[in-house]
Structures are given as C-alpha cells and as structure tokens.
Amino acid sequence: MEKVPGEMDIERRERSEELSETERKAVQDTWARLYANCEDVGVAILVRFFVNFPSAKQYFSQFQHLEEPLEMEQSPQLRKHACRVMGALNTVVENLHDPEKVSSVLALVGKAHALKHKVEPVYFKILSGVILEVIAEEFADDFPSETQRAWSKLRSLIYSHVTAAYKEVGWVQQLPTTNIPPGTLPSSRS
C-alpha cells in the first residue's frame, strides 16, 4: 500500500519512536556513567568505527590517513571530533523528555552532514551500532535486556530523524567511492 506523506504519518512515526519514561531513565542512567569519561569513550567509539569501517574515514581529511588504532587514539583532531559526537549525543539524551528539542538537534546534525560534509546517511546507522556495542561491553555485567531495548529504540529514533533531515534537504545518494560489504552493518538489537 502506498503511503501519502502527511501529518498523520509524522504523528504516528513520532509516537512509535518515543521512549517511555522507564526507557528514558534507563538510557539516561547508562549515559551518565558513560559520559563521565566522555572523551575516552568517544575516542573508543570512533576508533572502533574507523577500524571496522575504514571507508568512513574518507569524510575526514584531518585523520583519514591514520591506520593504526593507537595513532587514531592519539590524534588531537579525532579526539576533538569524538567530543563533538559525544556532546551531540549528550544533548539528545538529556532532552529525551522533549521530542521537539531532540528532533531539532538531530535535524541540525543531519543537515550539516548532508549539505556540508556529504556523508552517506548509512554511516549514522553504522556508528550508532558501534555505540551500542561499546555500551554493551562497558556495562557487560549491568546492561539488562530492557536497557538494551531502550538503547535500540533510541538508535532507531536517531537514525529516523537524521534520515528525515537528509530527505528534507533533497539528499541524493552519492556515487560510492567504496563499497560497504553486505553483512558488515551492525545488526539492530531490538
């Protein structure tokens, strides 16, 4: 069945993405512990992202030449970007009670990455999967299935808002400079 875009679709999409109060608390509690080590966690996330998905480095002229994880960890530019990523995530997590603020922040991120940086939106899905992997490892003994589901739901919310921003600015998929092999996208843990 073909869907005609309209207010009902948007309302239904937003409702389905909203986290419950319990889910918000679970995400925020986990995040508070992670964010206490903001820079180190951010660097760990980006290093894993670039090691596992080196094609993503094509968008970062300042550190695309770095190959070794230790080199990446020590890069001031990578560390700075890790702090920006963590800061944006922090704004989203702190404002989960305010869907309009979350939507606004993610729209800004999506539009900047589409228009200025020309980043393929699939990398947001990949990066958010890496973030979930790092969280699961950091809290291996304290990451119950309910919390995992809440984070998966947040991952979907982030990706849908970012891709909506790409569509809003008329994003046209760029010709790939490298291929992402099938099966390398982190699976959704919902």
Side-chain angles (χ1 to χ4, degrees):
M1 174 161 91
E2 184 178 345
K3 288 188 177 182
V4 178
E7 290 179 33
M8 294 298 287
D9 289 337
I10 292 168
E11 186 179 333
R12 186 171 38 250
R13 180 181 56 118
E14 288 174 356
R15 239 195 336 258
S16 70
E17 293 173 352
E18 250 179 55
L19 276 68
S20 70
E21 183 60 36
T22 303
E23 291 168 329
R24 284 195 300 266
K25 184 173 177 1
V27 166
Q28 289 170 331
D29 288 350
T30 310
W31 181 253
R33 292 183 287 161
L34 270 180
Y35 199 66
N37 298 311
C38 169
E39 187 174 345
D40 290 339
V41 171
V43 168
I45 289 167
L46 288 185
V47 168
R48 179 176 300 190
F49 178 56
F50 292 132
V51 166
N52 293 342
F53 304 95
S55 62
K57 288 191 295 181
Q58 69 183 307
Y59 301 106
F60 298 93
S61 60
Q62 340 68 309
F63 47 84
Q64 67 184 189
H65 62 284
L66 302 176
E67 295 294 327
E68 297 300 317
L70 186 58
E71 273 185 300
M72 290 182 212
E73 288 172 14
Q74 295 172 344
S75 165
Q77 295 90 352
L78 188 137
R79 296 187 84 74
K80 185 177 176 183
H81 191 67
C83 289
R84 280 196 305 270
V85 169
M86 295 295 282
L89 280 170
N90 189 57
T91 301
V92 168
V93 171
E94 282 185 346
N95 289 285
L96 287 175
H97 64 281
D98 184 351
E100 287 183 28
K101 174 75 173 180
V102 169
S103 182
S104 174
V105 168
L106 294 172
L108 288 172
V109 169
K111 288 174 183 176
H113 284 78
L115 298 172
K116 183 178 179 186
H117 308 297
K118 310 281 190 237
V119 175
E120 288 290 336
V122 69
Y123 286 105
F124 282 93
K125 183 175 259 183
I126 295 169
L127 179 61
S128 62
V130 171
I131 291 168
L132 290 183
E133 289 173 5
V134 170
I135 293 170
E137 288 173 12
E138 287 287 320
F139 300 110
D141 298 331
D142 188 22
F143 198 50
S145 59
E146 301 81 29
T147 304
Q148 291 175 36
R149 278 193 298 277
W151 274 98
S152 291
K153 200 169 177 181
L154 179 59
R155 175 188 185 198
S156 296
L157 180 146
I158 290 170
Y159 187 65
S160 70
H161 280 288
V162 168
T163 55
Y166 272 70
K167 288 176 187 165
E168 187 179 320
V169 298
W171 175 263
V172 177
Q173 186 172 4
Q174 308 297 303
L175 293 175
T177 55
T178 58
N179 290 329
I180 300 172
T184 59
L185 293 177
S187 61
S188 178
R189 295 187 170 111
S190 47

